[in-house]
Amino acid sequence: MMKLAIVIPAFNEESSVGDVVKQLISQFDADVFVIDDFSTDSTIDIANANGAKVVSLTKNCGYNIALHTGIRYVKENGYTHAITIDADGQHPPIYVGQFIKYFDHGVPFVFGKRKQCARWAEKLFSAYTFLRFGLSDPLCGMKGYDLQTLSRLGNFPSYDSSGTELLLKVVNRGYAWHQIDIEQSERENESRFGQGI
């Protein structure tokens, strides 16, 4: 039986995290974890108020450490599957249902694919991975994992790659995977990743 966790790395996302959590909890049979990256605003209070389970980092470590912490935490606490989603509201929660559908059909890895990447560096890298691996938009933050299968790949990657290193490892080793088209919403404030390579 599937036990699903939805993992949301968050840093100073008080304007959006509450609505993301609320939508997820109202639509899906899953536990929602906000991994707070030492926010200085009301992110923790708003996430708690809307029903999320909050895991707090003791210092600001960056998106990737928050992401890895969340995946490790839910894996160690008995969850069978995890879906990562950004706290800024850019990934409409309704798409979680499609991830669950592919999990139910035995697909261990499911990845979001935005119709258009936000930054020029993402477009360049996406073009490379499509030509090399047949994989579009590896930097999309919405990804789904069968955690038992994930364990066979070793530890969650330590590089600052938003799960991309793991995704390419999945493709290279021949595991089943699927990509889902994501209609991305506009982010109100500036991206945490900037515009660089």
Side-chain angles (χ1 to χ4, degrees):
M1 181 177 176
M2 185 189 304
K3 185 178 180 183
L4 177 64
I6 299 175
V7 175
I8 308 174
F11 174 68
N12 288 349
E13 296 286 5
E14 63 180 8
S15 65
S16 55
V17 70
D19 189 50
V20 172
V21 170
K22 189 188 306 179
Q23 289 186 59
L24 289 167
I25 289 176
S26 68
Q27 294 179 54
F28 303 105
D29 182 19
D31 289 330
V32 177
F33 292 84
V34 169
I35 315 302
D36 180 67
D37 190 21
F38 207 66
S39 295
T40 57
D41 64 1
S42 300
T43 293
I44 291 178
D45 294 335
I46 292 171
N48 275 319
N50 284 280
K53 302 174 189 295
V54 176
V55 176
S56 297
L57 303 185
T58 57
K59 63 179 180 178
N60 181 249
C61 298
Y63 178 90
N64 291 284
I65 296 299
L67 179 70
H68 302 166
T69 299
I71 292 292
R72 184 174 62 250
Y73 183 88
V74 299
K75 189 164 67 167
E76 290 174 352
N77 282 274
Y79 290 86
T80 62
H81 294 75
I83 296 170
T84 61
I85 185 170
D86 288 352
D88 58 13
Q90 286 193 292
H91 303 146
I94 189 66
Y95 290 108
V96 167
Q98 294 188 41
F99 280 70
I100 293 172
K101 180 183 73 173
Y102 282 99
F103 286 154
D104 284 339
H105 284 82
V107 179
F109 298 103
V110 186
F111 309 119
K113 180 177 66 173
R114 297 164 294 180
K115 291 189 175 180
Q116 185 170 351
C117 298
R119 300 171 296 151
W120 66 266
E122 289 180 309
K123 295 175 184 177
L124 180 63
F125 188 55
S126 184
Y128 166 75
T129 56
F130 181 75
L131 291 173
R132 179 80 184 271
F133 305 103
L135 177 71
S136 301
D137 195 18
L139 294 171
C140 179
M142 195 170 189
K143 294 182 171 74
Y145 309 99
D146 175 323
L147 296 175
Q148 184 176 5
T149 307
L150 176 65
S151 296
R152 298 178 198 149
L153 294 172
N155 294 326
F156 202 79
S158 58
Y159 298 120
D160 290 344
S161 60
S162 307
T164 303
E165 175 197 352
L166 175 63
L167 185 153
L168 296 179
K169 193 181 290 186
V170 165
V171 175
N172 271 328
R173 295 192 184 180
Y175 286 97
W177 56 278
H178 185 81
Q179 283 198 297
I180 291 171
D181 288 324
I182 301 294
E183 188 73 52
Q184 183 170 266
S185 302
E186 289 295 324
R187 180 183 171 95
E188 292 182 4
N189 49 359
E190 186 178 348
S191 169
R192 290 178 57 194
F193 295 102
Q195 295 299 321
I197 192 69

